[in-house]
Amino acid sequence: MCSLATNLLLPSKMKPVFPEKLSTSSLCVTTRRSKMKNRSIVPVARLFGPAIFEASKLKVLFLGVDEKKHPAKLPRTYTLTHSDITAKLTLAISQSINNSQLQGWANKLFRDEVVAEWKKVKGKMSLHVHCHISGGHFLLNLIAKLRYYIFCKELPVVLKAFVHGDEYLLNNYPELQESLVWVYFHSNIPEYNKVECWGPLWEATSHDGTRTRKKSETLPELPCPDECKCCFPLVSTIPWSHRHYQNSGADENVADGLFGISIPNPEKSKG
């Protein structure tokens, strides 16, 4: 760029003269180098640049749920997957995880799916999002830190996909935008096996991936231990078994139920 600017500013008599063939060949070399440079920059820009949601690349499937029905009256789960070939997102909205989306060697290798469910605890609705960071095979363990970074960067896009795909629900029940978003990072490495509160849904989707988000590492309130009307059933629709409550002193029976593992309480079973 500097040499080009200098060449434009110099008088014609002072400009260096090159043979036509040499000039043409040097131009080809420069063009090749610039193309190679651009190729190397593009993946880096995609990784570290802003995360942008494109509605045209989202395919939405409603499987056994009513678009407009409040999730408190029916289990409502999101399964979001990404195709590296088409660069498109597929969002299934159903009563449980859409396992058909998670088949195939690529999904099992990359584990880049994001699943979420609406829950009601003590009368308050909240959205619980789950991401797999590491565990399952050693390749994921080697890049756990990078995967955690990428999931954090792309989560605003994921949440926007949920909001856009389920727009009729959120338009009919705008109060759901005030629901807290809880993000569960599942990992066999303690540093990345944690839960973060990303604030209300409207706030969690308002970031473009470049600004620092206010995230609090805490645990969501546990549901009532006994059957009640103010909470959803203890058994989750997402059967991911990593425990986040094991060091919190919480009732393990209740905590395991949050992750789809229902362990009976021996004291209650005696009665």
Side-chain angles (χ1 to χ4, degrees):
M1 184 179 289
C2 293
S3 61
L4 178 60
T6 303
N7 192 42
L8 291 174
L9 290 173
L10 284 174
S12 58
K13 292 182 180 180
M14 295 178 63
K15 293 179 182 178
V17 178
F18 299 99
E20 185 177 352
K21 290 184 179 180
L22 180 60
S23 178
T24 304
S25 61
S26 63
L27 178 61
C28 292
V29 172
T30 304
T31 303
R32 288 196 197 100
R33 287 178 179 173
S34 62
K35 285 183 178 179
M36 291 176 67
K37 186 177 180 181
N38 287 338
R39 287 176 184 173
S40 64
I41 289 175
V42 169
V44 176
R46 287 176 181 173
L47 182 59
F48 297 103
I52 301 173
F53 171 68
E54 297 181 54
S56 60
K57 293 186 177 181
L58 177 67
K59 178 182 179 181
V60 183
L61 305 172
F62 285 91
L63 306 175
V65 297
D66 189 334
E67 303 180 27
K68 303 177 182 180
K69 197 165 187 178
H70 195 283
K73 300 176 182 178
L74 185 73
R76 202 178 196 87
T77 302
Y78 301 134
T79 307
L80 186 73
T81 52
H82 172 263
S83 171
D84 290 322
I85 299 175
T86 63
K88 291 188 176 182
L89 299 170
T90 300
L91 172 65
I93 303 175
S94 54
Q95 296 184 36
S96 59
I97 291 179
N98 183 30
N99 288 313
S100 63
Q101 278 180 255
L102 310 180
Q103 303 303 315
W105 66 269
N107 285 323
K108 293 179 180 179
L109 178 64
F110 297 119
R111 292 303 307 269
D112 58 357
E113 75 276 4
V114 178
V115 295
E117 66 177 336
W118 284 101
K119 295 189 72 69
K120 184 170 73 169
V121 177
K122 306 292 177 64
K124 296 180 180 179
M125 295 298 300
S126 53
L127 183 62
H128 297 248
V129 184
H130 297 259
C131 310
H132 185 88
I133 302 298
S134 63
H137 57 80
F138 75 97
L139 292 176
L140 298 183
N141 301 343
L142 293 176
I143 56 173
K145 184 176 181 179
L146 178 62
R147 284 175 62 82
Y148 174 75
Y149 166 81
I150 293 174
F151 272 115
C152 287
K153 174 179 171 291
E154 297 292 338
L155 267 175
V157 173
V158 171
L159 295 173
K160 287 176 184 177
F162 293 162
V163 171
H164 181 81
D166 218 358
E167 60 181 338
Y168 290 109
L169 172 76
L170 291 163
N171 288 338
N172 289 333
Y173 303 96
E175 67 274 12
L176 290 175
Q177 289 279 5
E178 297 293 335
S179 302
L180 290 180
V181 176
W182 295 93
V183 183
Y184 299 75
F185 296 98
H186 298 268
S187 174
N188 60 345
I189 301 173
E191 182 181 356
Y192 305 112
N193 190 58
K194 54 186 175 181
V195 183
E196 295 179 352
C197 180
W198 282 45
L201 180 58
W202 66 266
E203 182 179 320
T205 57
S206 64
H207 301 287
D208 58 8
T210 60
R211 290 178 289 174
T212 303
R213 294 172 293 275
K214 292 182 179 179
K215 299 175 292 184
S216 60
E217 291 187 29
T218 182
L219 295 173
E221 186 177 10
L222 291 171
C224 299
D226 300 315
E227 186 177 348
C228 65
K229 293 183 179 180
C230 66
C231 303
F232 274 9
L234 293 181
V235 178
S236 169
T237 60
I238 300 175
W240 289 15
S241 61
H242 292 294
R243 293 185 183 180
H244 296 83
Y245 288 84
Q246 57 188 359
N247 297 321
S248 66
D251 184 347
E252 287 190 2
N253 295 327
V254 177
D256 285 334
L258 285 174
F259 297 98
I261 305 173
S262 181
I263 301 176
N265 188 324
E267 296 299 325
K268 290 183 180 179
S269 59
K270 289 179 182 179

